[in-house]
Amino acid sequence: MKSYAVRNLRLCTKDCLCLYVCPTGATDTEDSIIDVDKCTGCGVCAESCPSGAITMMPLQLPPQQHKTEKVTAVLNLMSQSKAEQEKAALQIAKETEKDGLYRLMMAFARSNRIMAEDLLREAGYMLPQSSNAQDLLKSLIDNPPSPDFPVESAKKLLELIPCNDCR
Amino acid sequence: MKYRCNICGYLYDDSRQEVPFNELPDSWTCPLCMASKSQFTLLEEKKEEKPAEPVSIDEDAFELSAGQLSALFSNLARGAEKQYIPAAQKEFTVLSEWFLKAAQDNSPASIEDLAEYLSNDINKGYKDIDSIATADSDRGALRVNVWGDKVTRMLSNLLERYQSEGEDFLLNTEVWVCTACGFIYPGDEPPQICPVCKVQDWKFEKQERRKA
């Protein structure tokens, strides 16, 4: 098996041909999310879907494109600026009683979070499966930043997610 | 004469409009993205900027703060969600929220602080990313640079308008955030497509009022 089927509910027009063609019943689910455990990756659902709502997701993802140290460094500096702005916007929102300023600052916090996420993706943390992400989890398990750090969550993630580019 | 919006690229061509650009009131905003008149650049005048100064890299750039780690893990939570791994999404969210809490220090913050960050991002940060990503042919970094630069200019523009108009600016107006690129749009309804990243309107979220 090289891939598995995922369904975009925004595109699904409930023609239900995927139910008709699926050999294992993986597409026949209560919550409309294709049952990854039953899916054999045969792809007939994606081929038969009239609204193009099903995509075959590769099981093994390729490694992220190489990032130079300089690119990583400038992107990191920018995500740090966005993180500081998120923090400042949340603080201003918390303290103000004005409705307009509150909404603007909450929107600023959200916007800065989205930009920081995007910058960190491009700085090497695109995939949960990447060795960068896995190394970070390992280092947090070995050296927790404080005693109440949720080490168990980090350990569980290492069990849940296989590495796609580890040697 | 032609003028282009720095944020969304909307073109104001005097020969096709009844009112020449110069005679538009200062309160006029871009019909596509609501950016101020000041965000428009005269096309003929736009000359090549001189190459940026070489960027020196501080070793600190590789250390990630609690705020960055929170965004890093919320991003991985999103990645797990898109790949339909809800168990991993949940654990990444736990880590993200822990770091968000760790980042809060209740230090005083003002609109002026934000304005300074924004101006530094626009005048230095994005220019540095542009020159390094261009030199290293990094398509992904160039893409994040284009989106981020435009969204940051819009944020700076909105902050300036709030500073000059006060609460009146947003009195009877909703505030929408594009959940794909972070673009902020003031208006009754979100734009049909995001002026920056071109995602559809349903990816916009309305900023709700504070709960009583």
Side-chain angles (χ1 to χ4, degrees), chain A residues 4-10 33-34 36 57 61 65-108 110-122 125-130 133 136-137 140 145-146 148-154 156-157 160-161, chain B residues 55 57-58 61-62 64-65 67-76 78-80 82-85 87-88 90-92 94-96 98-100 103-111 114 117-118 121 125-126 128-129 132-133 136 138-141 143-144 147-148 151-152 155-156 158-159 162 167 169-171 173-175 177-184 202 205 207-211:
Chain A
Y4 59 97
V6 292
R7 181 195 284 128
N8 181 346
L9 282 175
R10 283 271 175 181
I33 293 170
I34 293 172
V36 178
M57 209 37 215
L61 292 155
Q65 284 177 17
H66 175 70
K67 294 285 160 182
T68 62
E69 272 204 342
K70 273 189 170 176
V71 165
T72 310
V74 277
L75 292 177
N76 281 356
L77 287 175
M78 186 58 84
S79 64
Q80 173 56 12
S81 171
K82 301 306 182 195
E84 289 296 330
Q85 289 173 67
E86 180 191 32
K87 189 171 87 174
L90 287 173
Q91 187 69 23
I92 297 170
K94 197 167 105 182
E95 286 166 5
T96 187
E97 281 172 12
K98 297 175 182 155
D99 169 65
L101 185 60
Y102 170 79
R103 286 184 293 133
L104 188 64
M105 288 300 107
M106 291 302 284
F108 262 56
R110 187 80 202 277
S111 171
N112 276 296
R113 168 58 61 120
I114 291 163
M115 285 193 279
E117 288 180 347
D118 202 2
L119 288 156
L120 287 155
R121 266 199 291 284
E122 291 300 341
Y125 293 94
M126 184 80 74
L127 289 178
Q129 287 88 347
S130 68
L136 176 62
L137 290 171
L140 288 168
S146 91
D148 66 341
F149 177 75
V151 175
E152 286 313 310
S153 289
K156 212 184 260 178
L157 283 164
L160 277 168
I161 299 176
Chain B
V55 182
I57 301 300
D58 196 339
F62 297 99
L64 297 176
S65 69
Q68 282 172 300
L69 286 166
S70 178
L72 192 157
F73 285 122
S74 62
N75 168 52
L76 293 179
R78 274 222 250 182
K82 303 256 178 206
Q83 293 183 45
Y84 293 90
I85 321 172
K90 192 179 134 216
E91 302 303 337
F92 278 130
V94 169
L95 297 184
S96 172
W98 190 86
F99 277 111
L100 180 64
Q104 305 306 315
D105 52 14
N106 290 318
S107 56
S110 67
I111 292 182
L114 277 181
Y117 277 117
L118 288 165
D121 288 355
Y126 282 114
D128 287 352
I129 297 177
I132 287 183
D136 291 359
D138 191 318
R139 287 179 288 131
R143 197 271 313 151
V144 78
W147 286 10
V151 172
T152 304
L155 263 57
S156 168
L158 292 168
L159 202 64
Y162 184 81
E167 283 291 299
F169 172 39
L170 298 168
L171 196 55
T173 310
E174 301 297 345
V175 177
V177 182
C178 172
T179 57
C181 71
F183 176 73
I184 301 182
W202 63 267
E205 277 178 17
Q207 177 55 54
E208 299 296 341
R209 287 169 167 74
R210 190 200 292 277
K211 288 184 201 112

Side-chain angles (χ1 to χ4, degrees), chain B residues 120-212:
Chain B
N120 191 43
D121 288 355
I122 293 167
N123 297 317
K124 181 158 196 323
Y126 282 114
K127 290 191 171 135
D128 287 352
I129 297 177
D130 185 58
S131 67
I132 287 183
T134 304
D136 291 359
S137 309
D138 191 318
R139 287 179 288 131
L142 284 169
R143 197 271 313 151
V144 78
N145 190 50
V146 170
W147 286 10
D149 184 40
K150 289 180 174 181
V151 172
T152 304
R153 284 172 193 274
M154 189 63 180
L155 263 57
S156 168
N157 192 224
L158 292 168
L159 202 64
E160 277 168 21
R161 277 156 76 185
Y162 184 81
Q163 282 176 303
S164 69
E165 296 169 41
E167 283 291 299
D168 285 350
F169 172 39
L170 298 168
L171 196 55
N172 293 307
T173 310
E174 301 297 345
V175 177
W176 301 86
V177 182
C178 172
T179 57
C181 71
F183 176 73
I184 301 182
Y185 183 84
D188 295 338
E189 298 291 332
Q192 276 190 327
I193 59 165
C194 174
V196 171
C197 74
K198 319 298 179 207
V199 79
Q200 295 164 53
D201 55 1
W202 63 267
K203 294 289 280 184
F204 275 80
E205 277 178 17
K206 186 164 84 179
Q207 177 55 54
E208 299 296 341
R209 287 169 167 74
R210 190 200 292 277
K211 288 184 201 112

